[in-house]
Amino acid sequence: MTEAVRRALAHVRGRAAAGTAPPPGLLDRAPITVSFHPDRLLGDGATVAEHLLADGRYRSQFETGISNGGLTAYPGGDRHRWEQRMFGGAYPADGIVGRPVYGGLNLAGHPDGASPRFGSCHLLLRPEVSRRATFSHGDSVTEPTVVGTVDAFGGIWAALLDEVARTGSALGRAAASPQQWVASLSAPPAGAGRALDDYVEAQVHGGVDLGADVTAVVADPSLRGTPTGDLLARLAPRLRWHPGFVLGPDEFPEDLRGPVAPRLARFVADRYRTGHLDAAVVGRAARSVVREPGRWDRWGPPAEVLQQLKYLWHILVLRGRPAG
């Protein structure tokens, strides 16, 4: 570990609230997953999957300039500001390389990863990576106060149990009581598809090396047999497929992400002559917006259209059916 990583871990450990530890072995069995859209384009015109294969590591938004969340990773931006606060100024204020990578702790064992809102595929990290990660109950964009590490996880665990007691669910698992919820974590999940913001965020310090830190790539089945799928098969020792998300263009509602979403869904389906939308179709549209923006003028400037396509993906996660 670098000095910056040690300082970040120590700072978060010092802020962690006391609480009852999770059941023995639970954190050892729960991997960190790092979600991403492999077919999105970076500034040089290459896809995320192509860069992953060429670089051999997963880079943070500070380096890539793209995100499936907010685009605030630059000196003085919101992500920069909250990282400085969360990690006690452990990282140089003007530093770009070496900053944390964001994922989710998959306590509930969801096949599509802990936080699918951020991508159709995910990297499955080795258990030992968790020892150099910090965690928060809530996305860091909300500047959460309940934080911890694997050896100081009691506050987050208490917050999850309180969430179940108040709402009847947490991490996409519903239960009549916190005790039943804990028991449910040892059973396979019913399937993919759940609330977008219901996860324990993981901040991985010290980088993610595809050779040393990743045990598998878990991909959306719509990418099977595509050039992107072929690239994913070369990234890690194993390539696995999760159930996927599929939705007909007329099934996109107005009440989740606004009235543009259903109209854009129909336009995308007509453009690509398909009866349904999935990760591959939305990705194809996103690449077209960057490469041929004139074809999308009716929907606004490219940044706005890409945001609307991001909303289509959110709806697929919330309402989509398994692909097969």
Side-chain angles (χ1 to χ4, degrees):
M1 293 186 189
T2 66
E3 181 60 26
V5 170
R6 283 191 288 268
R7 288 177 57 195
L9 291 172
H11 180 78
V12 173
R13 191 179 294 114
R15 293 180 55 210
T20 303
L26 180 62
L27 294 182
D28 295 331
R29 298 192 303 270
I32 293 173
T33 61
V34 178
S35 296
F36 65 103
H37 285 300
D39 50 2
R40 300 303 193 266
L41 299 175
L42 276 71
D44 62 359
T47 65
V48 170
E50 288 170 329
H51 269 278
L52 285 172
L53 188 61
D55 298 345
R57 64 187 181 96
Y58 185 94
R59 297 191 290 162
S60 77
Q61 183 192 138
F62 282 90
E63 295 183 72
T64 65
I66 65 171
S67 172
N68 299 311
L71 289 168
T72 62
Y74 50 85
D78 286 345
R79 182 178 292 269
H80 179 268
R81 175 179 54 80
W82 79 56
E83 280 192 1
Q84 294 301 102
R85 183 191 66 81
M86 283 180 67
F87 308 126
Y91 295 98
D94 58 350
I96 299 299
V97 178
R99 285 186 170 270
V101 167
Y102 290 78
L105 184 64
N106 201 4
L107 285 165
H110 292 293
D112 50 339
S115 47
R117 74 169 292 157
F118 297 116
S120 62
C121 305
H122 65 267
L123 305 177
L124 188 67
L125 304 191
R126 296 184 185 280
E128 53 267 29
V129 175
S130 294
R131 294 197 288 269
R132 54 179 169 87
T134 52
F135 305 95
S136 59
H137 182 250
D139 195 287
S140 49
V141 70
T142 66
E143 301 194 40
T145 58
V146 181
V147 297
T149 58
V150 288
D151 53 357
F153 202 79
I156 295 176
W157 186 248
L160 290 170
L161 296 179
D162 178 69
E163 185 180 341
V164 176
R166 288 184 294 103
T167 69
S169 69
L171 306 180
R173 292 287 190 103
S177 69
Q179 293 77 15
Q180 290 185 7
W181 180 80
V182 173
S184 77
L185 297 181
S186 62
R194 59 199 180 279
L196 291 174
D197 303 314
D198 198 4
Y199 53 88
V200 172
E201 184 182 276
Q203 304 95 33
V204 180
H205 304 268
V208 172
D209 182 279
L210 270 67
D213 300 328
V214 176
T215 62
V217 174
V218 185
D220 189 285
S222 65
L223 299 172
R224 193 192 303 267
T226 69
T228 298
D230 294 340
L231 287 172
L232 293 175
R234 299 165 59 188
L235 290 180
R238 288 185 297 164
L239 174 61
R240 290 158 43 182
W241 306 97
H242 64 69
F245 305 94
V246 173
L247 202 60
D250 294 328
E251 297 178 275
F252 283 75
E254 294 186 1
D255 61 341
L256 288 181
R257 287 296 187 263
V260 174
R263 293 189 287 114
L264 181 59
R266 286 190 289 271
F267 177 82
V268 170
D270 290 343
R271 174 172 173 75
Y272 297 113
R273 299 179 181 178
T274 179
H276 68 269
L277 270 67
D278 56 24
V281 173
V282 175
R284 187 177 178 185
R287 295 193 302 277
S288 173
V289 170
V290 175
R291 289 171 172 162
E292 42 187 6
R295 293 180 177 272
W296 301 84
D297 280 347
R298 73 177 75 176
W299 302 99
E304 185 175 322
V305 183
L306 290 174
Q307 181 65 34
Q308 291 295 331
L309 290 172
K310 188 184 299 180
Y311 289 160
L312 294 189
W313 172 249
H314 292 174
I315 295 171
L316 275 170
V317 171
L318 285 169
R319 298 287 178 88
R321 295 179 295 277

